[in-house]
Every structure is written in C-alpha cells, then in structure tokens.
Amino acid sequence: DAGVIQSPRHEVTEMGQEVTLRCKPISGHDYLFWYRQTMMRGLELLIYFNNNVPIDDSGMPEDRFSAKMPNASFSTLKIQPSEPRDSAVYFCASSLDVYQPQHFGDGTRLSIL
Amino acid sequence: AQKVTQAQTEISVVEKEDVTLDCVYETRDTTYYLFWYKQPPSGELVFLIRRNSFDEQNEISGRYSWNFQKSTSSFNFTITASQVVDSAVYFCALSEGLSLNNNAGNMLTFGGGTRLMVKP
C-alpha cells in the first residue's frame, strides 16, 4: 500500500502569496493530521480530521491558515497571505483509528522569502 | 495537560556502542499510548513502536529495545551495537484522551527530540 503522499516536496515563494499544501492519506484511514516542524517549536499539531470532519483546530496559528478535507482521500492546508515566519516543514499524517499509530508523509519544506 | 520531555538534545557515540535515549512523560489519564518515531537526515518521520499504558512489558526488536516504567513515567529506548545508519533524530510522543466513542483523542504530543550521531 502507498503511504501518505504529500505535495509539493518543496515550495519557495514570496511573502504575501497564497500557498497550498496537499495530502493524500493512506486508504481506509479515518484520521488525518497536519503538523508543522520548526527548530524553535519542534513538532506541533495544527489540525486534525476524523472522517473528513475537522475535530480540533486549536493548533492553527492564525486565521491566515485554513485546512479542508473535501473527501476521504484528499486534504489541503492553505496559508493566505504567507509570511516568512511560516517557513517550516509541514507534515501530514493519517491513522486507522484512535489507537493506531500515525503514519507520516515525507513532508513539504516551505520557504517564504 | 500533557508533556513529553527528552532531556538529551544530542548524543554522540562510536559505532557498536550501546546507547539509551530517555523519555519522560506527564499525563493525568490512565489510558494513553506512547510512541517512538525516527527522523533520519532525509527528513521523513518513521514510526518505530507504540505501547499502551496497560502494558509495561519491555519490547525488543532486533537491536532496538524499549523500557516502559509507569512508576517513573518513563519510556526509554535503547539501541544495542549502534550503527551509522542509526544516526537520526528520535522523537518520543504521547497520546491520551483516547476513546472510540467520541471523536476526541489521538492527538500526539511530541518531545523535543534527541539527535543521535553514530560515528564510524
């Protein structure tokens, strides 16, 4: 089975631009998570979904961040407008249920100039 | 509140040495899961092990072993006869508030990670 697939792997853009990160979870997994990794703050959970419904978005830093899951096989994390401090590696993960481990994608390395 | 502490930010060993990575956690829940993930230089996060709060039996998988002690709230990870390929950042994580009857739970809180460097 394919793992969690994220795109793009790398994104470099200028501040003020809209950025969209994409994720395809493992087929059959009911939970999807978005994390951000920075040197200063480590790995932080931004938002997670259960059966396509957002459950907890308390980790989303600002209104500039939004996430959607229109169907079971696709999710997006959008930043608009982007700022240099948004530069980080963004990971998507999925799990079968609350007891199963989360499996991570390879991440998107985002650089905002 | 939950918290995971990995006090060792960086460890350097020579190949074939044994090394133990420490993880201490805090939780008020009686039901929780503990995890270890590996992040090699290529950047991906690789799941290594999951342990639930009711199972204190230690686990061994090849050169890897894990020691879970509820009395000290620790879940330490030992690599025996380390190899250069073990060089990575290792994260300990905690998940609590678990229930299949609601949508909550399954949120991972990660420790700060321990960077392990294995030199030839």
Side-chain angles (χ1 to χ4, degrees), chain B residues 46-65:
Chain B
V46 179
F47 164 72
L48 295 178
I49 189 172
R50 175 192 61 165
R51 173 65 76 219
N52 77 54
S53 52
F54 298 108
D55 182 3
E56 287 192 72
Q57 189 172 6
N58 292 334
E59 182 155 341
I60 298 174
S61 176
R63 297 183 296 106
Y64 294 172
S65 62

Side-chain angles (χ1 to χ4, degrees), chain B residues 8-116:
Chain B
Q8 306 149 307
T9 54
E10 198 168 290
I11 301 176
S12 181
V13 299
V14 177
E15 208 170 19
K16 298 184 182 177
E17 286 184 7
D18 299 346
V19 58
T20 295
L21 311 182
D22 298 334
C23 173
V24 174
Y25 63 93
E26 298 176 26
T27 179
R28 295 180 180 177
D29 278 14
T30 56
T31 302
Y32 53 91
Y33 278 88
L34 294 162
F35 302 81
W36 277 95
Y37 283 85
K38 175 182 180 180
Q39 188 173 40
S42 50
E44 70 272 24
L45 279 160
V46 179
F47 164 72
L48 295 178
I49 189 172
R50 175 192 61 165
R51 173 65 76 219
N52 77 54
S53 52
F54 298 108
D55 182 3
E56 287 192 72
Q57 189 172 6
N58 292 334
E59 182 155 341
I60 298 174
S61 176
R63 297 183 296 106
Y64 294 172
S65 62
W66 290 270
N67 180 267
F68 176 31
Q69 292 194 340
K70 290 178 73 171
S71 60
T72 56
S73 297
S74 65
F75 186 43
N76 297 336
F77 173 29
T78 296
I79 302 174
T80 303
S82 59
Q83 299 177 1
V84 173
V85 293
D86 296 327
S87 298
V89 180
Y90 291 87
F91 292 95
C92 181
L94 168 70
S95 179
E96 63 177 357
L98 300 165
S99 172
L100 281 174
N101 296 321
N102 60 48
N103 290 325
N106 203 16
M107 301 191 323
L108 284 177
T109 297
F110 283 87
T114 296
R115 181 178 299 278
L116 174 64

Side-chain angles (χ1 to χ4, degrees), chain A residues 7-76:
Chain A
S7 64
R9 289 297 310 277
H10 303 274
E11 175 90 14
V12 180
T13 191
E14 293 186 349
M15 66 177 294
Q17 298 297 308
E18 178 179 289
V19 173
T20 300
L21 311 181
R22 298 172 176 80
C23 176
K24 176 179 170 56
I26 294 173
S27 178
H29 282 195
D30 288 340
Y31 286 82
L32 183 139
F33 307 81
W34 282 100
Y35 290 87
R36 179 172 68 174
Q37 184 178 33
T38 62
M39 289 296 292
M40 292 297 295
R41 300 175 67 89
L43 273 159
E44 305 173 278
L45 176 67
L46 299 177
I47 185 172
Y48 80 97
F49 297 81
N50 178 23
N51 290 319
N52 313 336
V53 176
I55 302 302
D56 190 323
D57 66 354
S58 59
M60 296 286 261
E62 299 172 33
D63 291 344
R64 299 184 295 106
F65 286 69
S66 62
K68 294 182 180 180
M69 193 165 185
N71 58 62
S73 59
F74 184 66
S75 176
T76 60

Side-chain angles (χ1 to χ4, degrees), chain A residues 97-108:
Chain A
D97 60 42
V98 292
Y99 301 113
Q100 300 304 315
Q102 295 177 23
H103 295 274
F104 286 75
D106 288 341
T108 294

Side-chain angles (χ1 to χ4, degrees), chain A residues 66-102:
Chain A
S66 62
K68 294 182 180 180
M69 193 165 185
N71 58 62
S73 59
F74 184 66
S75 176
T76 60
L77 177 67
K78 190 171 292 187
I79 308 173
Q80 167 63 19
S82 58
E83 297 182 3
R85 59 193 168 122
D86 301 331
S87 298
V89 180
Y90 291 81
F91 286 100
C92 176
S94 69
S95 68
L96 197 59
D97 60 42
V98 292
Y99 301 113
Q100 300 304 315
Q102 295 177 23

